[in-house]
Amino acid sequence: MSGLAEILLDEGFTVSGSDSQKSPLTQHLEQKGARIFYGQKSSNIIDGIDCVVYTAAIRRDNSELIEAVARKIPTLTRAELLGQLMTNYDTPIAVSGTHGKTTTTSMISHVLLEGSLDPTISVGGILQAIGGNIRVGNSEIFLTEACEYTNSFLHLFPKINVILNIEADHLDFFKDLEDIRHSFRQFTALLPSDGTLVINGEIENYQEIFDGLPCHVVTYGTSDSTCFDYSAENISYDENGFVSFDLIRKGQKTEHIRLSVTGEHNVSNALASIAVAELLGVSIDVIQNGLLSFRGTDRRFEYKGTTDGVTIVDDYAHHPTEIQATLKAAKHYPHHKLWCVFQPHTYTRTKAFFHEFAEALSHADHVILTDIYAARETDTLGISSKDLAEAIQKLGTDSHYFSSFAEIKEFLKDRWNTGDLVITMGAGDIVKLGEELLK
């Protein structure tokens, strides 16, 4: 929301809005001229508002939304506003997928900036290269993430679509995986006949997503260099855990690509980024330099600091596939023992993937569970982090549950040793724990 507000401010619109508390993002918007209210109440809908924009997380009983409807003020979802903004650009690019959207959008951003293509960028995390989550450029390129939750991405108007992966998630909205695949098919159908779909060919039955549609299709994948337009071979890691690989283009080995991030999942993200960049005419030298300059975004395997000789990293992973990818990547990062402090995100997701969470987390040496972060939910569904800790223990991995961050801090300080790696993980406020430890 803050990124779209910033675009509107830069285009001369008058913007007001609300948030639960002050943050660097709200203060930045205030400095740019926005009027920010703290706490959500009907009185925030002041005279002179022409349109109210709300996110998928806002329920129909929200006091501001009720007031806007009562006043007959036109309303738009965040996705609808994003779609309207995209229509002002000749080359709108939408990066979608269950996982990896922020990282891949950020990788593409680095490449486009390296090539001086001057894009407008809307990314779902804080990207240091643009000093935030938004950049307003002066070219015809608009790059954004495209989220499937509540079918938000069906309101967009892309020219290039990227589909990184399709897995079961957001089951508080979608019925099942087939329902999710249907939405990604609809998302692909948004492309015009001269549009292009860049899709991970390792998605099961990936052809179903675009069969019969008029768009051009570019495929990528890491598993078989003979099947895809872009693939990778000879994946290796340096002493810092950074990954590199040979780029295979249409079955032919071309360049050796080096990244400044770790993990095989980032090889896949890089392949998608390379495919998009070459569609835009960017040279491979510029692509290599842009990818090499990318060192991650906030909360994506982000190095936070070192205390008592222990390295603390923070990661946004909140789905079993993401957790497994992060912990697998951590194996290549210099460390002695790996501690994962995980905060489950929503009761719905924890219940739906209970056994998958246990399996994924068991790849750490030690696991610590916090209470479930409820986010938009209230119903516990009869599930708890204590249950998850016991399931991990049964798989043979040391696992503990604590109800407070204070208990976790004391436990860690008593147990960790010099050279250990601690990853705070989850989509809630678990990042605060690592920051408190470093204090």
Side-chain angles (χ1 to χ4, degrees):
M1 287 292 276
S2 63
L4 299 187
E6 187 165 339
I7 290 177
L8 293 173
L9 286 165
D10 284 355
E11 294 294 340
F13 287 83
T14 301
V15 177
S16 65
S18 65
D19 209 342
S20 56
Q21 57 192 7
K22 276 195 176 185
S23 71
L25 287 176
T26 61
Q27 290 170 317
H28 176 67
L29 289 175
E30 286 179 307
Q31 290 166 3
K32 292 186 74 71
R35 182 175 179 183
I36 308 294
F37 300 98
Y38 294 99
Q40 296 186 335
K41 47 190 179 292
S42 59
S43 58
N44 296 342
I45 306 300
I46 54 178
D47 291 341
I49 292 174
D50 300 304
C51 180
V52 170
V53 184
Y54 60 97
T55 74
I58 296 297
R59 299 181 183 276
R60 302 304 300 182
D61 61 0
N62 177 274
S63 57
E64 293 178 11
L65 190 55
I66 290 171
E67 180 68 14
V69 171
R71 290 193 185 204
K72 295 184 171 54
I73 300 173
T75 61
L76 290 174
T77 64
R78 176 192 178 278
E80 287 170 331
L81 173 61
L82 180 58
Q84 293 297 312
L85 291 173
M86 291 175 82
T87 62
N88 292 288
Y89 297 82
D90 288 345
T91 312
I93 305 164
V95 180
S96 73
T98 312
H99 326 290
K101 293 184 289 292
T102 296
T103 296
T104 306
T105 303
S106 300
M107 281 185 174
I108 297 170
S109 298
H110 270 254
V111 171
L112 299 184
L113 293 171
E114 179 72 21
S116 301
L117 271 68
D118 199 14
T120 294
I121 299 165
S122 174
V123 63
I126 302 302
L127 181 60
Q128 298 302 327
I130 60 175
N133 61 353
I134 198 75
R135 178 188 190 272
V136 179
N138 292 299
S139 75
E140 291 298 325
I141 298 173
F142 185 101
L143 172 64
T144 184
E145 291 184 35
C147 182
E148 76 275 17
Y149 184 54
T150 69
N151 281 329
S152 294
F153 61 1
L154 300 186
H155 296 290
L156 306 185
F157 296 91
K159 187 75 172 287
I160 298 173
N161 275 357
V162 181
I163 300 180
L164 302 169
N165 35 65
I166 303 174
E167 294 189 28
D169 197 12
H170 300 302
L171 296 177
D172 56 329
F173 175 77
F174 294 108
K175 291 199 246 15
D176 50 29
L177 180 57
E178 279 309 305
D179 190 22
I180 296 168
R181 288 175 62 89
H182 175 68
S183 287
F184 275 92
R185 164 86 182 186
Q186 288 181 290
F187 174 62
T188 304
L190 297 173
L191 287 167
S193 57
D194 61 344
T196 302
L197 170 66
V198 176
I199 187 168
N200 185 346
E202 293 168 322
I203 296 170
E204 188 173 356
N205 298 322
Y206 72 98
Q207 296 95 336
E208 292 178 355
I209 305 301
F210 57 81
D211 270 352
L213 297 176
C215 61
H216 178 57
V217 177
V218 174
T219 60
Y220 72 92
T222 59
S223 61
D224 189 340
S225 60
T226 64
C227 289
F228 311 124
D229 296 311
Y230 293 87
S231 58
E233 287 183 350
N234 300 321
I235 298 171
S236 61
Y237 296 84
D238 66 15
E239 66 278 6
N240 296 311
F242 297 158
V243 66
S244 62
F245 60 94
D246 290 337
L247 175 64
I248 312 298
R249 194 187 288 107
K250 294 190 182 298
Q252 298 296 313
K253 178 181 172 181
T254 56
E255 291 77 21
H256 187 69
I257 303 294
R258 293 188 299 129
L259 305 180
S260 298
V261 288
T262 192
E264 193 167 323
H265 61 292
N266 276 320
V267 174
S268 183
N269 294 335
L271 290 174
S273 302
I274 293 167
V276 170
E278 293 202 334
L279 282 171
L280 299 174
V282 182
S283 72
I284 192 62
D285 289 342
V286 169
I287 292 171
Q288 168 66 93
N289 290 336
L291 289 174
L292 190 60
S293 71
F294 173 68
R295 296 184 174 274
T297 59
D298 284 10
R299 304 224 58 211
R300 270 72 176 181
F301 210 88
E302 179 190 4
Y303 172 78
K304 301 295 288 187
T306 302
T307 180
D308 293 340
V310 175
T311 300
I312 296 178
V313 165
D314 182 64
D315 197 275
Y316 188 70
H318 55 284
H319 183 282
T321 301
E322 296 166 350
I323 293 167
Q324 188 160 333
T326 299
L327 295 181
K328 188 177 177 183
K331 301 286 186 186
H332 300 283
Y333 194 88
H335 71 279
H336 179 52
K337 292 292 185 182
L338 173 59
W339 296 79
C340 179
V341 186
F342 180 61
Q343 181 183 50
H345 189 261
T346 74
Y347 301 107
T348 307
R349 185 181 283 115
T350 306
K351 187 175 180 69
F353 302 113
F354 183 84
H355 298 293
E356 291 86 349
F357 274 121
E359 171 59 31
L361 288 163
S362 69
H363 291 279
D365 296 310
H366 306 280
V367 179
I368 298 174
L369 278 298
T370 76
D371 280 326
I372 295 170
Y373 189 83
R376 53 190 172 265
E377 297 180 347
T378 53
D379 186 3
T380 67
L381 301 177
I383 201 78
S384 75
S385 292
K386 188 175 181 182
D387 299 330
L388 188 53
E390 290 171 355
I392 296 166
Q393 194 79 43
K394 287 177 182 175
L395 291 173
T397 298
D398 180 50
S399 182
H400 306 268
Y401 157 73
F402 296 101
S403 60
S404 72
F405 284 4
E407 292 173 283
I408 295 173
K409 282 191 293 183
E410 291 308 312
F411 182 81
L412 276 171
K413 286 193 283 187
D414 284 343
R415 300 292 187 92
W416 66 23
N417 292 296
T418 298
D420 284 357
L421 171 62
V422 174
I423 302 180
T424 55
M425 185 181 287
D429 60 356
I430 187 65
V431 61
K432 294 177 182 176
L433 176 66
E435 292 169 351
E436 289 172 14
L437 282 163
L438 289 167
K439 289 177 183 176

